[in-house]
PDB file of all heavy atoms in Angstrom:
ATOM      1  N   THR R 308     -59.940   6.374  29.385  1.00  0.00           N
ATOM      2  CA  THR R 308     -60.170   5.687  30.652  1.00  0.00           C
ATOM      3  C   THR R 308     -60.757   4.307  30.439  1.00  0.00           C
ATOM      4  O   THR R 308     -60.360   3.315  31.078  1.00  0.00           O
ATOM      5  CB  THR R 308     -61.102   6.522  31.544  1.00  0.00           C
ATOM      6  OG1 THR R 308     -60.505   7.811  31.768  1.00  0.00           O
ATOM      7  CG2 THR R 308     -61.340   5.840  32.883  1.00  0.00           C
ATOM      8  N   THR R 435      -9.686 -14.138  26.172  1.00  0.00           N
ATOM      9  CA  THR R 435     -10.742 -15.141  26.346  1.00  0.00           C
ATOM     10  C   THR R 435     -10.961 -15.350  27.843  1.00  0.00           C
ATOM     11  O   THR R 435     -10.310 -14.721  28.677  1.00  0.00           O
ATOM     12  CB  THR R 435     -10.378 -16.464  25.650  1.00  0.00           C
ATOM     13  OG1 THR R 435     -11.515 -17.333  25.670  1.00  0.00           O
ATOM     14  CG2 THR R 435      -9.213 -17.138  26.330  1.00  0.00           C
ATOM     15  N   ARG R 569      20.913 -30.379   2.509  1.00  0.00           N
ATOM     16  CA  ARG R 569      21.051 -29.770   1.186  1.00  0.00           C
ATOM     17  C   ARG R 569      22.308 -28.925   1.103  1.00  0.00           C
ATOM     18  O   ARG R 569      23.033 -28.941   0.092  1.00  0.00           O
ATOM     19  CB  ARG R 569      19.824 -28.899   0.916  1.00  0.00           C
ATOM     20  CG  ARG R 569      19.823 -28.182  -0.424  1.00  0.00           C
ATOM     21  CD  ARG R 569      19.703 -29.146  -1.566  1.00  0.00           C
ATOM     22  NE  ARG R 569      19.611 -28.455  -2.848  1.00  0.00           N
ATOM     23  CZ  ARG R 569      19.736 -29.042  -4.022  1.00  0.00           C
ATOM     24  NH1 ARG R 569      19.964 -30.352  -4.079  1.00  0.00           N
ATOM     25  NH2 ARG R 569      19.631 -28.354  -5.132  1.00  0.00           N
ATOM     26  N   LEU R 570      22.609 -28.170   2.175  1.00  0.00           N
ATOM     27  CA  LEU R 570      23.796 -27.331   2.198  1.00  0.00           C
ATOM     28  C   LEU R 570      25.067 -28.174   2.135  1.00  0.00           C
ATOM     29  O   LEU R 570      26.007 -27.847   1.385  1.00  0.00           O
ATOM     30  CB  LEU R 570      23.791 -26.470   3.464  1.00  0.00           C
ATOM     31  CG  LEU R 570      24.974 -25.537   3.658  1.00  0.00           C
ATOM     32  CD1 LEU R 570      25.047 -24.527   2.522  1.00  0.00           C
ATOM     33  CD2 LEU R 570      24.882 -24.812   4.999  1.00  0.00           C
ATOM     34  N   VAL R 601      53.548 -15.189 -21.701  1.00  0.00           N
ATOM     35  CA  VAL R 601      54.243 -13.909 -21.565  1.00  0.00           C
ATOM     36  C   VAL R 601      55.094 -13.628 -22.802  1.00  0.00           C
ATOM     37  O   VAL R 601      55.100 -12.515 -23.340  1.00  0.00           O
ATOM     38  CB  VAL R 601      55.115 -13.910 -20.292  1.00  0.00           C
ATOM     39  CG1 VAL R 601      55.927 -12.614 -20.191  1.00  0.00           C
ATOM     40  CG2 VAL R 601      54.243 -14.077 -19.054  1.00  0.00           C
ATOM     41  N   ARG R 627      55.688  15.921 -44.755  1.00  0.00           N
ATOM     42  CA  ARG R 627      56.742  16.805 -45.254  1.00  0.00           C
ATOM     43  C   ARG R 627      56.500  17.172 -46.720  1.00  0.00           C
ATOM     44  O   ARG R 627      56.662  18.334 -47.131  1.00  0.00           O
ATOM     45  CB  ARG R 627      58.108  16.122 -45.109  1.00  0.00           C
ATOM     46  CG  ARG R 627      58.608  16.061 -43.675  1.00  0.00           C
ATOM     47  CD  ARG R 627      60.085  15.677 -43.631  1.00  0.00           C
ATOM     48  NE  ARG R 627      60.565  15.566 -42.260  1.00  0.00           N
ATOM     49  CZ  ARG R 627      60.760  14.437 -41.618  1.00  0.00           C
ATOM     50  NH1 ARG R 627      60.496  13.284 -42.228  1.00  0.00           N
ATOM     51  NH2 ARG R 627      61.185  14.435 -40.368  1.00  0.00           N
ATOM     52  N   ARG R 648      61.534  39.455 -59.273  1.00  0.00           N
ATOM     53  CA  ARG R 648      61.496  39.468 -60.751  1.00  0.00           C
ATOM     54  C   ARG R 648      61.709  40.877 -61.302  1.00  0.00           C
ATOM     55  O   ARG R 648      61.536  41.112 -62.493  1.00  0.00           O
ATOM     56  CB  ARG R 648      60.171  38.910 -61.243  1.00  0.00           C
ATOM     57  CG  ARG R 648      59.995  37.418 -60.916  1.00  0.00           C
ATOM     58  CD  ARG R 648      58.904  36.793 -61.780  1.00  0.00           C
ATOM     59  NE  ARG R 648      57.606  37.378 -61.533  1.00  0.00           N
ATOM     60  CZ  ARG R 648      56.745  36.950 -60.607  1.00  0.00           C
ATOM     61  NH1 ARG R 648      57.094  35.924 -59.823  1.00  0.00           N
ATOM     62  NH2 ARG R 648      55.588  37.549 -60.438  1.00  0.00           N
ATOM     63  N   VAL R 652      58.078  48.240 -54.911  1.00  0.00           N
ATOM     64  CA  VAL R 652      56.929  48.822 -54.211  1.00  0.00           C
ATOM     65  C   VAL R 652      57.340  50.214 -53.780  1.00  0.00           C
ATOM     66  O   VAL R 652      58.370  50.391 -53.109  1.00  0.00           O
ATOM     67  CB  VAL R 652      56.537  47.989 -52.993  1.00  0.00           C
ATOM     68  CG1 VAL R 652      55.385  48.659 -52.250  1.00  0.00           C
ATOM     69  CG2 VAL R 652      56.147  46.584 -53.391  1.00  0.00           C
ATOM     70  N   ARG R 676      60.856  50.030 -52.405  1.00  0.00           N
ATOM     71  CA  ARG R 676      61.202  48.710 -51.849  1.00  0.00           C
ATOM     72  C   ARG R 676      61.476  47.761 -52.982  1.00  0.00           C
ATOM     73  O   ARG R 676      60.611  47.507 -53.818  1.00  0.00           O
ATOM     74  CB  ARG R 676      60.034  48.182 -50.998  1.00  0.00           C
ATOM     75  CG  ARG R 676      60.238  46.775 -50.460  1.00  0.00           C
ATOM     76  CD  ARG R 676      61.247  46.765 -49.331  1.00  0.00           C
ATOM     77  NE  ARG R 676      61.194  45.502 -48.587  1.00  0.00           N
ATOM     78  CZ  ARG R 676      61.876  44.415 -48.889  1.00  0.00           C
ATOM     79  NH1 ARG R 676      62.654  44.393 -49.946  1.00  0.00           N
ATOM     80  NH2 ARG R 676      61.791  43.357 -48.123  1.00  0.00           N
TER      81      ARG R 676
END
Side-chain angles (χ1 to χ4, degrees):
T308 302
T435 189
R569 179 67 176 167
L570 179 61
V601 176
R627 287 193 182 102
R648 294 198 297 271
V652 177
R676 175 74 165 88

